[in-house]
Every structure is written in structure tokens, then in C-alpha cells.
Amino acid sequence: MKVAVMGYGTVGSGVVEVIESHSELIGKRTGGERLEVKHILDLRDFPGDAHEKLFTKDFNDILNDDEVKVVAETMGGVEPAFTFTMKLLQAGKSVVTSNKELVAQKGLELLGEAEKSGANYLFEASVGGGIPIIRPMSQCLAANNIEGVAGILNGTTNFILTRMIEDDMDFADALKLAQDNGYAEKDPTADIEGFDACRKVCILASLAFGKHVYPNQVSTEGITNITLEDVSYLHSANCVIKLLGQIKYISDDKIAAFVSPAVVQHGSQLAYVNGVFNAILVRGDAVGDVCFYGPGAGKLPTASAVVADMVDAAKHINRKKIFGWGAGSEDYVVDYKSTLEMPFYVRAKADENEIKELFGEVQFLSRHDQPSDEVAFITDKMTENALTAKLSGVNTLNTIKVTNY
Amino acid sequence: MKVAVMGYGTVGSGVVEVIESHSELIGKRTGGERLEVKHILDLRDFPGDAHEKLFTKDFNDILNDDEVKVVAETMGGVEPAFTFTMKLLQAGKSVVTSNKELVAQKGLELLGEAEKSGANYLFEASVGGGIPIIRPMSQCLAANNIEGVAGILNGTTNFILTRMIEDDMDFADALKLAQDNGYAEKDPTADIEGFDACRKVCILASLAFGKHVYPNQVSTEGITNITLEDVSYLHSANCVIKLLGQIKYISDDKIAAFVSPAVVQHGSQLAYVNGVFNAILVRGDAVGDVCFYGPGAGKLPTASAVVADMVDAAKHINRKKIFGWGAGSEDYVVDYKSTLEMPFYVRAKADENEIKELFGEVQFLSRHDQPSDEVAFITDKMTENALTAKLSGVNTLNTIKVTNY
């Protein structure tokens, strides 16, 4: 079967490599049909590349090629990926993608178009890189009411936090090390501010609860406020800080969804996910907690997920997979700050008596070289708004949500 | 859609419960078709059970009912489950199962019959209870050459080992606690001798590498030789002991597959799987390591996996899933003891000089209250046969494989 790849960056070139190096295996998995890359779309030139003859700068070469039934979109960004994907689906070609931004922003329209045309739009690689999560989650969903999902969805920030926790390295140094190792981009904003994790939360939430969630509905906080002091206090309580995307079922018409640093207790599977790895924990009413762990990014891991989707699409030509979600609404995602109750970690310039007056008997934490005017503690469960109100007169240095995963 | 359940024990009654309590959800997932239990086959009586009218002791009531398209087999054991399943598949009915013994012994014939008749034979619940593993592994497989699989596949033994490691409880007490908690049966042989894990290894190996592996081909060692002394020595080296099922690719015609206690280093995802939980780690050439974690047994977790398969079967009536494996052969599974090289943990009545003469410079371990005539150490990589030869003159107390997962 002839296929095309749009975008010859890290993931796209990995897709071509995996298709070629796993040709026999893919044949076995499709029931005999090998995949053959016929076109590679990219505006850049790649002189000397072994696939030189396959390159095109004209999208119509793919759109108008009746032989091409499955296309991998690994361009990233909303445009022109959206326009291209839409046209391909309208033409009845299946599209698979690693483009989380596009799925988070335009998944509803694209899945709707796929529904109409009978083509498939698959996006396993858009969340968790090489980790199979989209299908396993659909599978868990078949016989479970999902109560919540929590994920370490961004390898860059998890690498930085791991270095802070394990090596006592401060944020700036850990970020620099991530950049030196190629784990963080020159402009690391999308990672460290949580925007990348936010897009993945949108996809997971849409899938888990059947209604589209957009990035602007998901309250998003990055890791730039995390300090070694926080790491140290929480270490004393057998806890670590992770950047988590969290989704919680409230009712059939309401969910909570947010990205933020979170305190995770040792014993939780999420506490042991280190370096650039990702993990997604799904809590179902029948199954309990299941957790999927693996490389959340990287050329070949992500490419292998894209190619697995291409194989699946190739097996399902003219057969629609029941897969997708409906429209959401503006008030579908609640303001979790006034709704969800949870404990919080608080670090403040204060004395213990002042805190006890406000919070009652709380668990105080300690650290090496703790200044006499600094306290850190874990509150009882309360909403974030209630916390903010209580802390209004306190010189607060940091607050972090404590998760129950 | 009408369905039937064969075997109304823990899992079977859970299946009926999940189908009833998740009726609306299941309807959504099948695209409108709810599942309705029409028959429950069991030789026992369940007076007062809410489903009294559905019970039958005659298998033919299910076989000859044209309305019934999907059957859950939760009887366990090879017979009569095998005969019943075969007849159902021959009649074109899809069968889903949690029966690992049957899939391990007779999977090849049953999958072959399903292939012929166009029905589906699905067995997600046979490995890892509620953890989605069969489909995610197929998915990983689509674009990865699998290099190896390692799994904590038995919750009972993992519970016992966890109590030994965390609470310094000896094997006998931990086993008794497992029995008191309902995690171990009165006759715990199948669990503690590794037979249960062995069956799951057969299924995973057959799926991963496409050829049937039978239980008698898998060298199997349980946990009854593990002592608190071993736990303690390994703790000093930041390691834990787990009962692992391991499968390794050697060539397209050869694999290794065995069940045994294994030393796992902290940092491995398998080291943090505690209590009755299971985890399966899959190592692919493109994706690297991915790991699936969750409850490996239990009524509702396992039932939710069975029901998810029923939903999938219901969606695929008259549509064959490409899924299964071919015949193996007697020499397909190698004698790993002469083939695979790995480090070993050894505990012996000996002195360090004697060991150094035999093994060179090795890593000696220590423990609290270590007798002066006892040593424990980790060897270099070697085959198990080479180890046995080297230890022929040594008063060896225990040896345990060290895994590289």
C-alpha cells in the first residue's frame, strides 16, 4: 500500500525510517500488505537524502494521488496541517498524526469529517509519544466509568524536575542541561509553562469523557515557580513534585481539567517516573488504577506509534473505527478552584502558631538549613479558593496541589 | 445483543455485574448495542441469586441459541472449557475468556478454529487481569521488533515478596497473610511454584513472537526458596526480588522463556510494583521500554477486561480481527541455561577468598547479623550452566538471576 508523509522533521524522518526498517514485520501485521512511502511533503530541501526522489513541495501531489490511501501528518502546528488533513479526509484518505496541537484545537472537526467520509483519523502518537495510551484507554473505557486521569505528559519538565529532586540542581541549571541534551528547545516556553501538557490533557479528556475540550478551557501552570526548597521540604515527607495533567469526572456534563505541579506520594506509580519518561494513570470504577509508562517523546518511539497507527489505518480501509467524541461547551470544564477539594502544600514566611490559628493542626515539614521564619506544611482538603482566602494575610512563598493518585 | 456467561464464579459473576452496571456505557461503546445476559451456565445452584431465571446446566442451551453471538468463558481449567469453546467457535459464535490455562494449552487450536469460522476468540483478561496488555502489545508489535518481555504476572507471589521486603515477614507468615486476605488459595501451589505465571508467559510469548509456546516448554521456578537473608543482602545493593516471567528474542526460530525469581534494581519500573499488582514491560527496538501496570486479578478488574473483550467482539460480528499465532515446535524455546548470559546473585557458606578464586573480583553484599562463614555476591554475566559448574564445590545456599529490565 502506498502511503505519504507530510513533514520531514524529527518524527517524520523517523516514520520513514521505521517503515523501511520494519517492512517485513508490518507486512505480517497488516495481513500481507507492506507500506511503501510514495511522497514526502516538506518545503525544505534535503540534498543528498536517500529519499530525494520522493520529496515534493506540492500538497496536491499527495491529495490527487489515488494510490495513496494513508497519510502521516508529522508537520506540527495548526496550519497548514489542518487544511491539508481536512482535504485528505474529505478525499477519503485516512490520516494519522503526532500533532497534539492540531488534535487539541481541531480534533472535533477532523473526527467529524472522518466520520462523514468513512476514513480514519488516528492520533496515538499525539499523547505519550511511543506509549500505547489512546487505544488502551478506549479499551478500559468500554467497561469502566472513568473517574479520573492523571499524567506525566511532558518529558522535558519531568527531566528538569528529576534533576532537581535527584541531583539538587536548581531549575535554571536543570533547564540548561535539558537544552544541552536536546530534551528542551532553545525557547522552552511550551514545555516549562505547561502548554504542551495542556494539549495532551485536552486530547485525553476529550477521549475519556466524549466531549471536546479546548486548550483555553484547561487552567495551566508550569514549573518555573518550583524551587529546591520545595523539593527538599517534600522529600522529608516522602513526596516528589511532578508536573501533572489531571482530569476528573464530576457529572456527565461537567469535568475538571488542569495542568499544574503536583505533590505525589511515594507508593504512587507516578512517583517513580523519572527523566524524560511519561506515564498516564487511568482510574476506572471497575478496574481501579492502571498505568501506562514509556518514552513520551523521541524520534523512533514517536515514529513507532505513528507507524502503528498507519498499520491500523491500512487494515481498516473502508472500515470505520468507532472512535471519537462530540462537541463540548463553554461551561463543560468547571472552574476547579471553586469546586475540587484537595490538600495543598504551602511554604510561607510565617511562624507555626500563625499557621495553626488559620489551618488548625497541620503536618509541618522541615528541611536542611530551614530559616527560622519559614514554614512548610500540608493542609487538609479544601478548594483552592478557600486556600487563597485563608492565606490572604500570609506572606506565601509557594503553594502546590497534593494529588490523590 | 444477547450474550452468555459460562462459569458463575468470582470472575463470571463479576462479568454479569459489570454488564448490568455499565449498560449505558457499553451501548455507547458498541455504537448503540447493549449487551444482555441471556444464559448463565454453571453446574452449581445459586438459590436466591437475582439471575436465577438465567441459569442453565445444559451447555446446549447456549450453543443452540441463535440469538447468542458472544459468550464469555470464565470457567477456568482445560475441560470442559475447551470442548465448549471449540463448539461455540465452530458455530460462529465469538468467545472471550479469562482462562489462561486454556489459552496456554489450547490457544493455537482455538485461534485456528476462530480463523476458519470467522468468529473471534479474545483473551485480554487471561494475562494481567484488568491491565490492557494483549492489545497494547499487538499495537507495539506493529512497528517494533520486540526484543524482550518481562512481567510480574502473579499477584499472590508479588504480595508475599512485598511483605517479605517491606515488613521483614518470612515466607510462611507472608503466605498465611495472603491466604487470610483472600489473595492466596488454600492450596497455593499454582501461585507460589510459578505455574500461574508460566501460563501467562506462554500467552505473552505466543503473541509477541507469533508461535505457540506450551507450559512444558517454559522452565518454571517459584519463590519458595527465597529467604529473608536474600532479601536483606539485596536490599543493601538497592535491589528487590520479584517473580518474573521473562521472554527473550534470540532469532526468528528461537526464543527463551522462563519463570523465576529475579533480582531487579531500583530504577527499573518493575521494582516499584508492590502488593497484588502486576506489571508487564515490553522492550521494542524502536519504542524502547514501555510498561503496563495495574491490578492483576480480582473480581471487577478481571471482569472489566472480559466485558471490554465482549464489547469488542460485539463490534466485530462477522468481521475477523487479525490476531493470533501459528504453531511452534519442540526446539523453538531454547534451554536458556546454556544460552543466555546474565549476572547472578549467589549466597553461600564460603569465605570471600574462595569466591574470589572462582569468580574474580565480584561485588560482595552484606546484611545485618551476617554469619562470618556466609557470603553473598553478584557475579559477572555468564550462563546458568557455567555458574553451576563454578559452584560445584561450593556449599551454595541460593542463586537468583539478575535481570536487565
Side-chain angles (χ1 to χ4, degrees):
Chain A
M1 181 178 298
K2 301 288 197 288
V3 302
V5 176
M6 306 196 298
Y8 197 64
T10 305
V11 177
S13 60
V15 167
V16 175
E17 183 180 331
V18 169
I19 288 176
E20 289 177 352
S21 58
H22 293 68
S23 159
E24 194 185 341
L25 180 73
I26 291 168
K28 270 191 217 163
R29 295 296 156 186
T30 55
E33 188 92 64
R34 295 189 184 199
L35 304 183
E36 189 189 330
V37 180
K38 189 170 175 190
H39 307 286
I40 301 172
L41 179 70
D42 205 299
L43 293 178
R44 296 167 291 182
D45 291 309
F46 297 89
D49 188 285
H51 306 92
E52 222 160 358
K53 281 183 298 186
L54 306 180
F55 283 102
T56 174
K57 294 179 183 179
D58 183 359
F59 165 68
N60 291 307
D61 287 348
I62 296 173
L63 181 65
N64 298 328
D65 189 332
D66 289 343
E67 272 195 330
V68 172
K69 307 270 191 233
V70 177
V71 179
E73 182 267 300
T74 51
M75 308 168 71
V78 173
E79 282 295 356
F82 174 63
T83 304
F84 290 177
T85 302
M86 198 52 129
K87 285 187 179 170
L88 291 166
L89 293 171
Q90 283 164 346
K93 297 183 197 298
S94 287
V95 180
V96 314
T97 188
S98 58
N99 186 340
K100 54 215 163 230
E101 193 176 353
L102 182 59
V103 180
Q105 292 283 3
K106 299 287 188 180
L108 181 66
E109 285 127 292
L110 293 168
L111 287 161
E113 186 54 46
E115 188 64 42
K116 267 194 273 175
S117 74
N120 283 296
Y121 184 53
L122 305 175
F123 44 88
E124 181 62 68
S126 68
V127 181
I131 312 171
I133 173 64
I134 301 292
R135 275 184 204 69
M137 204 161 89
S138 316
Q139 193 182 333
C140 293
L141 286 166
N144 276 280
N145 293 305
I146 300 297
E147 296 173 349
V149 178
I152 295 171
L153 299 168
N154 179 271
T156 307
T157 45
N158 202 52
F159 175 86
I160 292 171
L161 290 171
T162 302
R163 295 283 64 79
M164 292 175 73
I165 293 164
E166 293 188 350
D167 303 338
D168 213 27
M169 194 180 273
D170 72 17
F171 174 80
D173 288 346
L175 171 58
K176 179 152 189 320
L177 185 65
Q179 287 170 320
D180 291 348
N181 280 310
Y183 299 146
E185 316 216 12
K186 241 188 194 169
D187 175 0
T189 313
D191 292 321
I192 64 176
E193 297 296 354
F195 304 146
D196 174 76
C198 169
R199 291 167 191 147
K200 294 164 179 168
V201 161
C202 292
I203 299 170
L204 291 173
S206 303
L207 191 67
F209 299 112
K211 295 182 184 178
H212 196 100
V213 172
Y214 292 94
N216 64 9
Q217 295 181 287
V218 176
S219 160
T220 299
E221 183 191 333
I223 63 166
T224 53
N225 289 332
I226 304 298
T227 67
L228 285 177
E229 288 76 18
D230 301 316
V231 168
S232 178
Y233 279 117
L234 287 163
H235 177 77
S236 78
N238 219 10
C239 294
V240 291
I241 305 170
K242 295 288 177 189
L243 182 69
L244 290 193
Q246 298 190 61
I247 307 159
K248 282 181 199 288
Y249 174 86
I250 295 173
S251 71
D252 284 354
D253 298 314
K254 297 278 177 216
I255 66 163
F258 50 98
V259 172
S260 72
V263 174
V264 180
Q265 187 107 32
H266 272 275
S268 162
Q269 287 303 300
L270 296 174
Y272 310 113
V273 177
N274 291 321
V276 293
F277 283 84
N278 282 195
I280 296 118
L281 187 153
V282 180
R283 182 167 288 172
D285 66 342
V287 75
D289 286 355
V290 293
C291 189
F292 307 96
Y293 165 94
K299 178 176 178 160
L300 293 183
T302 308
S304 82
V306 173
V307 175
D309 267 353
M310 294 176 89
V311 168
D312 203 20
K315 282 158 68 175
H316 285 83
I317 296 294
N318 300 326
R319 277 189 5 208
K320 192 67 201 110
K321 292 180 75 83
I322 305 172
F323 198 65
W325 52 72
S329 61
E330 251 184 56
D331 59 353
Y332 172 54
V333 182
V334 301
D335 171 21
Y336 78 88
K337 290 182 185 177
S338 63
T339 318
L340 288 189
E341 295 199 334
M342 63 189 101
F344 290 86
Y345 157 88
V346 178
R347 181 164 61 93
K349 289 265 173 235
D351 68 39
E352 293 198 356
N353 289 328
E354 189 186 346
I355 297 303
K356 280 182 195 164
E357 264 172 47
L358 287 165
F359 289 90
E361 285 300 324
V362 295
Q363 179 194 357
F364 285 101
L365 312 179
S366 61
R367 70 171 171 99
H368 194 66
D369 293 335
Q370 179 175 356
S372 60
D373 62 345
E374 187 180 271
V375 293
F377 59 98
I378 308 275
T379 72
D380 285 340
K381 277 176 147 194
M382 59 184 70
T383 64
E384 191 155 333
N385 284 348
L387 177 77
T388 307
K390 265 189 202 284
L391 288 173
S392 63
V394 178
N395 183 358
T396 308
L397 299 169
N398 208 355
T399 66
I400 309 177
K401 298 167 185 60
V402 177
T403 188
N404 66 340
Y405 291 100
Chain B
M1 180 178 298
K2 301 287 197 288
V3 302
V5 176
M6 305 195 301
Y8 197 64
T10 305
V11 178
S13 60
V15 167
V16 175
E17 182 180 333
V18 170
I19 288 176
E20 290 176 351
S21 58
H22 291 70
S23 158
E24 194 186 339
L25 181 73
I26 290 168
K28 270 191 217 165
R29 296 294 154 186
T30 55
E33 188 93 63
R34 295 188 184 198
L35 304 183
E36 190 188 330
V37 180
K38 189 171 175 190
H39 307 286
I40 301 172
L41 179 70
D42 205 298
L43 293 179
R44 296 167 292 182
D45 290 309
F46 298 89
D49 187 286
H51 306 94
E52 221 160 356
K53 282 183 299 185
L54 307 180
F55 284 101
T56 175
K57 293 179 183 179
D58 183 358
F59 166 67
N60 291 308
D61 286 347
I62 296 173
L63 181 65
N64 298 328
D65 189 333
D66 289 342
E67 272 195 329
V68 171
K69 308 271 190 230
V70 177
V71 179
E73 182 267 298
T74 51
M75 309 167 70
V78 172
E79 281 296 354
F82 175 62
T83 304
F84 290 176
T85 302
M86 197 54 130
K87 286 188 178 169
L88 290 167
L89 292 172
Q90 283 164 346
K93 296 184 198 297
S94 288
V95 180
V96 313
T97 188
S98 57
N99 186 340
K100 55 217 161 230
E101 194 176 351
L102 182 60
V103 180
Q105 292 284 4
K106 299 287 189 180
L108 182 65
E109 285 128 290
L110 293 168
L111 286 162
E113 186 53 46
E115 187 65 41
K116 266 194 272 176
S117 74
N120 284 295
Y121 184 52
L122 305 176
F123 44 88
E124 180 62 66
S126 67
V127 181
I131 312 171
I133 173 65
I134 301 291
R135 275 184 204 70
M137 204 161 89
S138 317
Q139 192 182 333
C140 292
L141 286 165
N144 276 280
N145 293 306
I146 301 297
E147 297 174 350
V149 179
I152 295 171
L153 299 168
N154 180 272
T156 307
T157 45
N158 202 53
F159 176 85
I160 293 171
L161 290 171
T162 303
R163 295 283 63 79
M164 292 176 73
I165 293 163
E166 292 188 351
D167 302 339
D168 213 26
M169 195 179 271
D170 72 17
F171 175 79
D173 288 346
L175 171 59
K176 178 151 189 321
L177 185 64
Q179 288 171 318
D180 291 348
N181 279 309
Y183 299 146
E185 317 216 10
K186 243 187 193 167
D187 175 359
T189 313
D191 290 321
I192 65 176
E193 296 296 354
F195 305 146
D196 174 76
C198 168
R199 292 165 190 149
K200 294 166 179 169
V201 161
C202 293
I203 300 171
L204 290 174
S206 303
L207 191 68
F209 299 113
K211 295 181 184 179
H212 196 101
V213 171
Y214 292 94
N216 64 8
Q217 295 181 288
V218 176
S219 159
T220 299
E221 182 191 335
I223 62 166
T224 53
N225 289 332
I226 304 298
T227 67
L228 285 178
E229 287 77 18
D230 301 316
V231 168
S232 179
Y233 279 117
L234 286 163
H235 177 77
S236 78
N238 219 10
C239 294
V240 291
I241 304 170
K242 294 289 177 189
L243 182 69
L244 291 192
Q246 297 191 61
I247 308 159
K248 284 182 198 285
Y249 173 86
I250 294 174
S251 71
D252 284 354
D253 300 313
K254 297 275 177 221
I255 66 164
F258 49 98
V259 172
S260 72
V263 174
V264 180
Q265 186 106 33
H266 271 276
S268 162
Q269 287 303 298
L270 297 173
Y272 309 113
V273 177
N274 291 320
V276 292
F277 283 84
N278 282 196
I280 296 119
L281 187 153
V282 180
R283 182 167 288 173
D285 67 342
V287 75
D289 287 356
V290 293
C291 189
F292 307 96
Y293 165 95
K299 177 175 178 163
L300 292 183
T302 308
S304 83
V306 173
V307 175
D309 268 354
M310 295 176 88
V311 168
D312 203 19
K315 282 158 68 175
H316 285 84
I317 296 294
N318 301 325
R319 279 192 2 211
K320 191 72 201 109
K321 291 180 76 83
I322 305 172
F323 199 64
W325 53 72
S329 62
E330 253 185 53
D331 60 352
Y332 172 54
V333 182
V334 301
D335 172 21
Y336 79 87
K337 290 182 186 178
S338 62
T339 318
L340 287 189
E341 296 198 333
M342 63 190 102
F344 290 85
Y345 158 87
V346 178
R347 180 164 62 93
K349 289 266 173 235
D351 68 38
E352 293 198 357
N353 290 329
E354 190 185 348
I355 298 302
K356 279 183 197 165
E357 264 172 45
L358 286 165
F359 289 91
E361 284 301 324
V362 295
Q363 178 194 356
F364 285 102
L365 311 179
S366 62
R367 68 172 172 101
H368 194 64
D369 293 334
Q370 178 174 353
S372 60
D373 62 344
E374 186 179 273
V375 292
F377 59 98
I378 307 277
T379 71
D380 285 340
K381 277 175 146 195
M382 60 184 67
T383 65
E384 191 155 332
N385 284 348
L387 177 77
T388 307
K390 264 188 201 289
L391 288 173
S392 63
V394 179
N395 183 358
T396 307
L397 300 169
N398 208 354
T399 65
I400 309 178
K401 297 167 186 59
V402 177
T403 187
N404 66 341
Y405 290 101

